[in-house]
Amino acid sequence: MNAWLNRYIGAPALFGLMGLALVLVGVLQSWSLALTIAIYCVIGAIMALGLNVQWGYAGLFNVGLMGFAALGGIAAVLVSMPPTTEAWQAGGSGIITSVLLSLATLAVALLVYKRMRRGRARMWTMVVILLGGYLVTRQFFDPAVELIEAVNPAATGYLGGAGLPIMLSWVVGGLFAAGAAWLIGKITLGLRSDYLAIATLGIAEIILSVLRFEEWLTRGVNNVNGLPRPLPQEIDLQQTAWVQEWALRLGTTVPDLASITVKLGYLGLALGVLLLFWLAQSAIHSPWGRMMRAIRDNETAAEAMGKDVTGRHLQVFVLGSAIIGVAGAMLVTIDGQFTPNAYNPLRFTFLIWVMVIVGGSGNNLGAILGGFLIWFFWVQAEPIGLWFMDVVTGTLPAESWLRAHLLEGAAHIRLMVMGMILLLVLRFRPHGLIPERSVRPHSLRR
Amino acid sequence: MEDILNALALLTNFVLLPAAAYGSQLALGALGVTLVYGILRFSNFAHGDTMAFGTMIAILFTWWLQAQGVNLGFLPTALLAIPFAVLATVAFMLLCDRWVYRYHRVKKAPAVVFLICSVGVMFLLNGIVRFVIGPGEQHFADGERFIFTVVQFREFTGLEQGVSFRSSQALTLVSALLIVVALFWFLERTRTGKSMRAYSDNENLALLSGINPDRVVLITWVLAAALATVAGVLYGLDKGFRPFTYFQLLLPIFAAAIVGGLGSPLGAIAGGFIVAFSEVLLTYAWRRVFEYLGPEGWAPEGLMQLLSTDYKFAVSFVILVLVLLIRPTGLFGGKSV
């Protein structure tokens, strides 16, 4: 009965409530805000889907989501921004030489690793080759970087991108993230889950360091603004006849309608991607999904049945990270700017975790709901917290330092709220709001 | 000869002392992580924020004491505040255990559930710290700043290069030593400490021989909270307090604990120093040292810096990966589950 309720009443009702909440925001605050929240909700839901593939299907503990999202973000820059020709002329050859050199170093090191016998001699040869290659590469790399960063540093100072349509970066971002995931998965999968967690935490920090400090590639903390947009600008829309006509008919102003139209467009694009992923996952759901669950629930038994556990884990780790990379590229596309300092592990990694756990790990619909719900709370907790603090401190005199401090700190209440939500769900509803179908008693167990 | 002494002075000032202090801070942090892992069997992601919480309380008490006109002369006032901060942090962690972890422990939930719970606690602590003291940077060190300064050292020895010994570094080294000695005495010599090690080695056997698991868990949280607070305050005195930095310390701390072998206290200390020294050695610009050591009038090209300081996290990470590949249980043979 309970399962039936969950399946046929629970999920639609919960999604209905979520929609109602967004409509309420539209009525009470503004439609533009409601649409913005909805767009980010969808992106959150896509990230949650990606994590759900890894955690819900395979029980992989990935806390490096921020890094994969950021890789997607830089893909948007590298694909869409126009190339800086001067910078390429100045330092392009140096960069290409150093890339080739480092690849050669890696190839030689790998060859030595394969050919020589295990032992001290091999280890030292490897160290010498890698260190030597690194130092030689730096000889070409450092001057090239200086040349590139000197080219008009206020506006460019980096190599620029490929000047292609930005929508392409949604695919490229996924590929970037998949590549990084393959590398890190090769090293850490097959080891204990705690190690994977720490390793992904580390790789995310490193990816972020690279994006922050390699200014020749990413402009670093100078940010990249004004990315090309896949949809027309609001300003251009305001000039078109049909927008002016409809604004008159609907009784709104032209700028409002233009901005809402653009946002609706983005929402449509994002929803399209979400639907695509959801369908793709449902399609491969049956045999593949069952095998993944079998591995998750009992690795030893699955291995005894001839399943390649580490290989499947790698597959699923790459797939989930790619989805997160796509979401990262979408985020930057919609923001229209790339700001490395905006990536914060609480917001980009652990919040996604809260989404999946609250929504229901192992259930895609649950992950999507979690993405909507948690993002909604994350955004709205700030005004609610402010209002709450205002009411609580209402009795204090207006100039009291305590009141000022509490009002200032209200923004941080949402962190506490997220922590509380996570802990309460784990305790009272460990399978989430929309639990995985056919929940087994140990489905959280690896 | 004098050139060699100058090079040594440079190394002491920029590598040995900072790395030793940082290593002790990491070691104290890693000890807390490793204890929780050994006894409660999960990786505590909230440890960095526990450090931040303890430090925050210490800072608040320091400010209060300073307002009362209390100080410790040449020592930082924060030392007086540490006992209060430890008490508050211990109380918080025990409440967390009572309300969060115990329920799952009784249900014998898998380790990963505890891990996710610790993420929840991390959010909570993060929110509290930012709410109470704000996300900005706080400096709370007072008292004498230096044991001896660069100028004093130069005048004393007549060398070209000077060494400064900051009191925060001295304080870190001395207190880390005292704490580690006390902790090992406790673990090796006292009945409670032995029961903890027994529980860590083999839970079932320990339970059979009448060890009270609740007591062991309680003492583990007390130790972890106290270690986190002291590590946090020492780090804050040395480098300043910023909530986000403490969260980021999680990576080097875990690297230290894993390099040494999760669950092995001795390993945690060794790991802390390995991580700290590699970080400092790899990001140090060696140019001036080679100037002294090389022939007269010769200077190497460039800074001779292997890695820019921006990438210090990469160092902990690479060490971590190397150890995982070569010796997955860590140098001192920790647990594997």
Side-chain angles (χ1 to χ4, degrees):
Chain A
M1 181 64 190
N2 202 1
W4 184 85
L5 256 183
N6 267 329
R7 189 162 167 199
Y8 294 103
I9 307 289
L14 286 167
F15 272 100
L17 279 177
M18 192 62 238
L20 196 69
L22 283 170
V23 170
L24 270 179
V25 170
V27 174
L28 294 175
Q29 291 175 288
S30 86
W31 286 105
S32 182
L33 179 68
L35 279 175
T36 312
I37 295 179
I39 292 170
Y40 286 103
C41 278
V42 175
I43 294 180
I46 295 174
M47 287 194 181
L49 264 186
L51 176 61
N52 192 34
V53 173
Q54 297 177 337
W55 163 245
Y57 284 9
L60 297 177
F61 205 86
N62 178 3
V63 281
L65 308 179
M66 170 183 77
F68 297 113
L71 275 179
I74 192 62
V77 172
L78 294 183
V79 165
S80 72
M81 286 307 275
T84 318
T85 351
E86 278 173 74
W88 272 106
Q89 277 161 2
S93 57
I95 293 290
I96 291 174
T97 319
S98 44
V99 167
L100 290 179
L101 271 174
S102 45
L103 286 179
T105 312
L106 278 182
V108 173
L110 272 181
L111 198 73
V112 168
Y113 184 82
K114 290 238 163 90
R115 286 292 162 82
M116 280 178 75
R117 238 178 308 137
R118 200 189 157 86
R120 225 151 255 217
R122 182 172 81 172
M123 196 183 81
W124 285 111
T125 328
M126 296 269 292
V127 168
V128 168
I129 290 172
L130 289 174
L131 199 67
Y134 175 73
L135 291 177
V136 172
T137 311
R138 283 275 300 265
Q139 294 300 314
F140 291 89
F141 182 71
D142 291 353
V145 165
E146 249 172 64
L147 286 174
I148 291 170
E149 286 173 8
V151 176
N152 191 7
T156 54
Y158 75 129
L159 280 177
L164 296 168
I166 196 164
M167 294 287 285
L168 194 65
S169 73
W170 296 13
V171 179
V172 177
L175 291 179
F176 277 11
W182 184 82
L183 210 65
I184 185 76
K186 263 291 189 206
I187 298 173
T188 45
L189 287 172
L191 292 168
R192 273 194 350 233
S193 59
D194 296 66
Y195 288 168
L196 181 71
I198 307 295
T200 46
L201 192 75
I203 198 79
E205 283 295 341
I206 291 176
I207 291 174
L208 253 292
S209 306
V210 171
L211 296 187
R212 251 179 233 144
F213 300 117
E214 295 303 317
E215 289 179 10
W216 61 275
L217 185 68
T218 66
R219 287 205 84 208
V221 286
N222 296 328
N223 307 338
V224 181
N225 296 315
L227 290 172
R229 297 173 32 143
L231 297 177
Q233 300 269 2
E234 284 92 344
I235 305 275
D236 300 333
L237 266 189
Q238 286 174 27
Q239 311 299 325
T240 57
W242 65 271
V243 170
Q244 288 171 354
E245 193 189 316
W246 274 96
L248 211 61
R249 219 178 277 178
L250 293 171
T252 58
T253 60
V254 175
D256 272 356
L257 187 68
S259 114
I260 285 178
T261 317
V262 170
K263 280 179 178 158
L264 272 176
Y266 278 129
L267 185 62
L269 281 178
L271 276 175
V273 175
L274 181 64
L275 193 69
L276 202 71
F277 279 136
W278 191 54
L279 287 178
Q281 285 192 36
S282 309
I284 44 176
H285 194 238
S286 27
W288 184 81
R290 271 199 301 278
M291 176 178 64
M292 289 318 304
R293 280 160 218 243
I295 291 176
R296 178 195 64 191
D297 289 341
N298 193 335
E299 263 180 42
T300 322
E303 205 151 16
M305 299 294 289
K307 306 294 179 206
D308 174 13
V309 172
T310 313
R312 286 315 96 174
H313 275 173
L314 186 62
Q315 193 180 31
V316 97
F317 188 63
V318 168
L319 188 69
S321 303
I323 296 178
I324 291 160
V326 172
M330 293 169 67
L331 199 65
V332 169
T333 308
I334 290 167
D335 283 344
Q337 58 175 352
F338 177 71
T339 38
N341 274 343
Y343 291 93
N344 167 338
L346 285 176
R347 147 86 179 79
F348 277 91
T349 297
F350 294 107
L351 196 66
I352 315 295
W353 268 95
V354 180
M355 290 175 182
V356 171
I357 302 284
V358 168
S361 14
N363 186 323
N364 286 330
L365 223 49
I368 294 173
L369 178 77
F372 271 86
L373 202 65
I374 294 302
W375 184 257
F376 187 79
F377 268 108
W378 181 253
V379 175
Q380 293 291 350
E382 203 168 331
I384 295 174
L386 210 59
W387 170 81
F388 178 75
M389 277 299 153
D390 209 37
V391 171
V392 167
T393 60
T395 52
L396 292 169
E399 64 278 12
S400 142
W401 68 270
L402 186 65
R403 182 181 155 95
H405 180 87
L406 288 177
L407 284 177
E408 195 186 320
H412 305 299
I413 288 184
R414 60 183 182 184
L415 293 169
M416 293 183 233
V417 173
M418 284 305 144
M420 290 309 283
I421 291 179
L422 185 60
L423 294 174
L424 289 175
V425 166
L426 276 174
R427 171 136 188 190
F428 295 109
R429 192 137 184 167
H431 298 291
L433 290 175
I434 311 182
E436 184 180 357
R437 269 188 243 160
S438 72
V439 172
R440 269 146 280 169
H442 297 303
S443 71
L444 259 178
R445 182 167 290 180
R446 286 209 46 204
Chain B
M1 185 60 201
E2 203 182 317
D3 277 352
I4 296 180
L5 282 181
N6 270 323
L8 278 180
L10 256 179
L11 280 182
T12 316
N13 194 24
F14 289 105
V15 176
L16 187 65
L17 288 176
Y22 182 41
S24 323
Q25 290 147 9
L26 283 187
L28 290 180
L31 272 173
V33 164
T34 233
L35 276 178
V36 170
Y37 190 87
I39 306 287
L40 298 154
R41 299 189 163 77
F42 72 95
S43 308
N44 183 9
F45 268 62
H47 201 76
D49 285 294
T50 313
M51 283 168 66
F53 180 81
T55 315
M56 176 190 79
I57 305 276
I59 293 175
L60 294 179
F61 264 101
T62 309
W63 285 345
W64 182 73
L65 287 170
Q66 282 168 342
Q68 306 296 311
V70 181
N71 63 58
L72 269 183
F74 64 97
L75 287 171
T77 318
L79 283 188
L80 273 181
I82 284 184
F84 299 102
V86 167
L87 275 181
T89 317
V90 164
F92 187 91
M93 288 327 280
L94 289 181
L95 280 182
C96 269
D97 187 67
R98 179 77 181 67
W99 286 337
V100 178
Y101 298 116
R102 197 171 79 168
Y103 169 82
H104 298 286
R105 194 160 57 237
V106 170
K107 278 189 68 184
K108 295 211 180 306
V112 75
V113 170
F114 288 92
L115 215 168
I116 302 175
C117 282
S118 79
V119 169
V121 173
M122 181 189 85
F123 262 108
L124 209 60
L125 279 168
N126 217 300
I128 294 174
V129 171
R130 281 165 199 234
F131 181 66
V132 174
I133 206 164
E137 185 151 355
Q138 313 284 348
H139 289 277
F140 59 105
D142 54 0
E144 204 67 53
R145 280 202 62 201
F146 292 99
I147 306 264
F148 52 83
T149 61
V150 172
V151 178
Q152 282 167 338
F153 181 87
R154 263 195 239 146
E155 277 168 7
F156 182 72
T157 57
L159 286 174
E160 200 180 4
Q161 290 298 332
V163 177
S164 74
F165 194 22
R166 293 216 309 275
S167 38
S168 59
Q169 292 169 335
L171 197 65
T172 301
L173 292 173
V174 172
S175 21
L177 189 72
L178 289 179
I179 287 169
V180 167
V181 168
L183 182 71
F184 274 83
W185 176 80
F186 171 77
L187 287 177
E188 301 286 330
R189 292 296 152 87
T190 63
R191 215 180 145 72
T192 320
K194 283 181 188 165
S195 68
M196 279 178 68
R197 285 193 297 137
Y199 188 87
S200 162
D201 283 345
N202 188 330
E203 191 181 339
N204 292 331
L205 215 56
L207 291 179
L208 270 178
S209 43
I211 287 170
N212 179 0
D214 291 336
R215 203 173 119 84
V216 169
V217 168
L218 178 100
I219 291 176
T220 308
W221 279 121
V222 171
L223 286 177
L227 283 167
T229 308
V230 175
V233 172
L234 290 176
Y235 186 88
L237 283 175
D238 200 17
K239 299 196 174 89
F241 170 82
R242 213 176 130 237
F244 189 61
T245 322
Y246 277 60
F247 169 80
Q248 284 187 314
L249 275 180
L250 208 57
L251 182 64
I253 283 179
F254 266 102
I258 291 178
V259 166
L262 270 174
S264 148
L266 200 62
I269 297 167
F273 283 99
I274 291 176
V275 169
F277 269 90
S278 338
E279 230 176 67
V280 176
L281 283 174
L282 287 175
T283 54
Y284 177 61
W286 289 86
R287 182 193 166 92
R288 285 196 295 169
V289 174
F290 280 101
E291 266 175 35
Y292 281 115
L293 294 182
E296 195 76 28
W298 172 84
E301 266 179 76
L303 285 172
M304 302 285 287
Q305 186 182 20
L306 272 174
L307 209 61
S308 126
T309 26
D310 304 331
Y311 291 117
K312 57 177 194 215
F313 285 117
V315 178
S316 344
F317 180 75
V318 170
I319 298 176
L320 183 72
V321 166
L322 284 180
V323 169
L324 289 185
L325 287 179
I326 298 166
R327 217 186 141 99
T329 50
L331 301 178
F332 286 75
K335 275 180 195 314
S336 65
V337 170

